[in-house]
Amino acid sequence: MVKSYLKFEPSKSFGLVATSTSNLVWTSAAKDKSSTGAGHAVVAANEEVLVWHVKKGELLSRWRDDNCRAQVTAIAQSRTDPDLFAVGYDDGSIRLWDSKIATAVVSFNGHKSPITVLAFDKTGVRLASGAKDTDVIVWDLIAEVGQYKLRGHKDQVTGLRFVEPETHVQTEGGDDLAMVVDSEPADGFLLTTGKDALIKLWDLSSRHCIETHVAQTNGECWALGVSPDSSGCITAGNDGEMKVWALDIAALSSSAQKVDLSQTVKFLRDRGTLHRQSKERAVEVTFHPRRDYFAVHGIEKSVEVWRMRTETEVKKTLARKRRRRREKLAATKGKKAAEGDLDMGDGKDEADDVNDAEISDVFTQHVIVRTTGKVRSVDWAMSQGKKDLKLLVGGTNNLIELYTVVGRDKLKTKTDAPDYNRALAVDLPGHRTDIRSLAVSSDDKMLASAANGSLKIWNIRTQTCIRTFDCGYALCCAFLPGDKVVVVGTKEGELQLYDVASATLLESVNAHEGSAIWALQVHPDGRSVVSGGADKTAKFWEFRIVQEQVLGTTRTTPRLKLVQSKILKVSDDILSLRFSPDSKLLAVALLDSTVKVFFTDSLKLYLNLYGHKLPVLSMDISYDSKLIVTSSADKNIRIWGLDFGDCHKALFGHQDSVLQVAFVPHNSDGNGHHFFSASKDRTIKYWDADKFEQIQRIDGHHGEIWALAVSHHGRFLVSASHDKSIRVWEETDEQIFLEEEREKEIEELYENTLTTSLENDPDTEDADREVGAASKQTVETLMAGERIAEALTLGMEDLNTMQEWEAAKVSNPHLAPPQRHTIFVALGNITAEVYVMSVLQRIKASALHDALLVLPFASVPMLFTFLNLFALRSLNIPLTCRILFFMLKTHHRQIVASRTMRAMLDGTRANIRAALKRQKDEMGFNIAALRVVGLQLQDMSVKEYVDDKWDADVEAANASALRKRAFVHVS
């Protein structure tokens, strides 16, 4: 009989606030209409997206796609629909999420490497994505397809932004007037920067690059920030250098209607260089949407807020400079020379001076915000009314902070320095550093996680943090019997006792005199604990209740103390130690790659286990005290017998150091010989120690797995990783058969290599062109292509069968209908074309083109036969046209060369024209009817009398106010 095992599946993930793989986005709370609200933060958390309430520190929503294991690398919010977010992933995929229902509505696949930046256009119908594969893809969100791929950068894309100027036409008087034209609107322009230090301006109408500049002189461009009115931008790179560019919006809007552009026109103009205080490379430049500020930061613990001076301030600065220049000339060349200079200076036009002012006179550093940890991303938080500036900061240390920055208009005097303060933070639901140890309470309800600087106690069922303690650099921890006290061993050599109920530190003992405590374990009888450290000793500590006097009184209070009872000295540093469950033996792993087993009572040496080539990092003893399993930095796991110390088996377990091993107390067989291993290769493996076989490989973490803990009843497993997440894996009732698991692994490997080989074979025609097709073959598209081919084959067989029956029916009217395929009968005797259309409709719009590319040319005539039938019966004409035009474009040469195909296309063209004419007439009739209804409603409604002249005056005043604040005039 084939032995089966029970499968472990992921159930919970917690301990994460935000990961440093992606930017964050601030969004206003829908219900929070008051100006006091801090809004919501949308952040990446490995493969999930979390929405936090910044003020309350509560997790509001968790967006997760069960089919996606890749990390989130970019987030963008639509400017027209605040509930729509685009999220880019590590595997090159993009998903559009609806935040109201926390569901992915559209999925795109086009990039071959992680997405680095995403941007919506102002209408919200297009999305641009840049990735590490140097490509920029523009996606149509209505049709759910990739329009085209722009190639031009030689390294990863670091910034992109749509530039969509209003269309202007020039009147006879020479004035530019904005006009609303009924014709097709212009596609606009796209501004991109890359790590290759280039800034490019793309014309999306003609789909080519119209301008390229070297953005940074010192090697790389890492960030792009565009002003809210798109009249200028800032690029940032290495050594604290920022370049300011003026963008000629008027020239762009006029060029949108022209075919032939003069080569002398330069839309991007270099306005100068600014220097940050920090010399680190910049990561992000973010403009405030409503005020003249921008934030820039690198990978250091600070964010620099810069301010754009007003026109009056710039004029004052220029006047002060002229005055100083005159005074200097007067001092050096005498009064006469000074008077000559004075005359020249007075003749200058101040307006010209403002436009040609040095960029350092226009921008000034407002304040440097010092943050708790290294900054990964920032976003401006909007608040109603003219209040202080609010800056949302996401750190690399699993933290979100909201800073309030005092604006210049709020300063009491001009000499006051602008200030800031940390208003809010979301920090409790996670550690700031990597978790190094985990411990589960005896009732399996609580979890202790220890890291550098903090110890946290969690409720496993609700995933909430119950207690947080400040501690040293914790390396190991354990619950004491009763689950009310947790003991922690630190890198500084201290044993610290924490009371969970009162949230206090009970005692701190300098146990190993400054040497790191690498391991500790509570004795099976619960009366003592043993600690092993880098001072080459294992020390035994007993728990004593001591009556301590309360200071200033005669009263005493009971207090738990650790009292050293025994000491075991060994030849090298102790990395791990473990009691056998029957408490007779103590196993000690040393830095010299050996494991020594001692008798617990006499501390005499019982066994020496030799075999590992590198130090043993972890070990565990089975619950019947018969087996010991050891894991090492040499990537091997060894299973030993505790009766004679013989090595039963050496398993090459992982692709990197095996950091943790742990036996399951009571598995389905009951012998407790199943164990887990966790490694730096980001996987957990489930093993049978009797058969020496791998039962299951558990993937999910995105970093090395530092800690592992198995529940006491063996029903779940907890792991903690470098990706800052704590994950719970629960045993299910689903059975695992080893042969099936091996087959699944081989299939996964085959699918990965198959899609990779398809990706590495680009279309030869598109390889060197600036514009290419936005396509990418995935397992999903391959399977969709196979479904289409299968449907076409079945459909053609059924069509032929039915045609033969119709022909035979002419001579024999009483002829019985033929036996059709069971699929058609099961679906209610539907026709072949309806069945093929249903198969095509079930394929996602974003995957349809790639699925059609899978079809061989031999299947194309069959597809065109059905397209003709679709047109004849008016079945989903938009989809029919889309497939027809795509196939004509793809197989143009072969179709033109085939006589039969050309004859077939004539009939299809006539049928499609007839169908489109019917739809056009129907739509025209409906539009006319709606106009009539609109006129009727307008007649019944209350008339509004508005002074046209007053409207024009207000618009003129608003336009002049906006012009004063325009980026280009003062930069």
Side-chain angles (χ1 to χ4, degrees), residues 128-160:
S129 61
K132 284 189 176 178
D133 60 8
T134 74
D135 292 336
V136 175
I137 298 181
V138 178
W139 306 90
D140 186 342
L141 305 187
I142 304 298
E144 298 181 11
V145 293
Q147 290 184 321
Y148 45 86
K149 186 184 288 184
L150 301 173
R151 299 191 185 99
H153 287 286
K154 302 300 179 189
D155 210 330
Q156 76 177 59
V157 180
T158 55
L160 53 83

Side-chain angles (χ1 to χ4, degrees), residues 841-852:
Q841 282 175 331
R842 282 200 297 270
I843 296 167
K844 289 179 183 174
S846 54
L848 182 62
H849 284 181
D850 293 319
L852 291 169

Side-chain angles (χ1 to χ4, degrees), residues 351-414:
D352 293 339
D353 289 348
V354 171
N355 283 339
D356 298 328
E358 289 182 17
I359 204 64
S360 55
D361 295 333
V362 178
F363 288 99
T364 179
Q365 196 177 80
H366 183 63
V367 69
I368 296 177
V369 178
R370 304 288 176 187
T371 56
T372 310
K374 290 182 178 178
V375 183
R376 169 58 183 88
S377 178
V378 299
D379 198 9
W380 293 99
M382 298 295 108
S383 57
Q384 291 184 357
K386 287 212 169 186
K387 290 204 160 192
D388 294 332
L389 303 163
K390 289 183 179 178
L391 198 63
L392 188 70
V393 179
T396 57
N397 59 343
N398 200 23
L399 180 69
I400 302 170
E401 297 172 302
L402 185 74
Y403 287 91
T404 304
V405 179
V406 179
R408 183 181 177 276
D409 49 352
K410 290 288 178 183
L411 298 177
K412 292 177 182 176
T413 62
K414 291 181 181 179

